[in-house]
């Protein structure tokens, strides 16, 4: 998937556990884990806003566009 979620990086920078973030944001551990492990298909702006507020960061700190490599058929 070309969008990579760097939630684990920001959590490490802020020295915050998934449990602590879950409590601050009001999102279940399961849903945060799905997001953290790049298995999410979507994220609500309200969730993104709450995560940014809790981690004191910008959405661009959490989301990164990485183009997929096209397979060459040479």
């Amino acid at each position: 998937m070309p969008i990579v979620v760097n939630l684990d990086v920001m959590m490490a920078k802020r020295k915050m556990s998934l449990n602590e973030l879950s409590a601050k944001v009001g999102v279940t551990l399961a849903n945060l884990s799905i997001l953290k492990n790049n298995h999410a298909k979507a994220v609500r702006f309200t969730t993104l806003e709450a995560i940014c507020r809790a981690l004191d960061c910008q959405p661009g700190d959490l989301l990164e566009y990485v183009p997929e490599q096209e397979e060459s058929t040479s």
Side-chain angles (χ1 to χ4, degrees):
M1 181 181 294
I3 302 295
V4 176
V5 180
N6 294 315
L7 181 58
D8 53 345
V9 173
M10 286 307 299
M11 288 172 51
K13 285 182 180 179
R14 302 296 190 251
K15 296 181 172 120
M16 189 177 296
S17 70
L18 202 60
N19 285 329
E20 188 178 350
L21 183 61
S22 174
K24 286 186 174 194
V25 174
V27 175
T28 65
L29 282 172
N31 285 336
L32 280 178
S33 182
I34 288 168
L35 189 60
K36 183 177 93 97
N37 294 317
N38 281 307
H39 295 297
K41 301 288 182 198
V43 61
R44 291 177 186 217
F45 282 159
T46 53
T47 302
L48 185 59
E49 177 187 353
I51 291 171
C52 287
R53 186 179 308 115
L55 293 175
D56 188 28
C57 66
Q58 294 294 313
D61 297 327
L62 297 172
L63 304 175
E64 178 182 4
Y65 173 70
V66 179
E68 290 182 356
Q69 295 289 333
E70 291 186 29
E71 292 183 29
S72 73
T73 55
S74 310

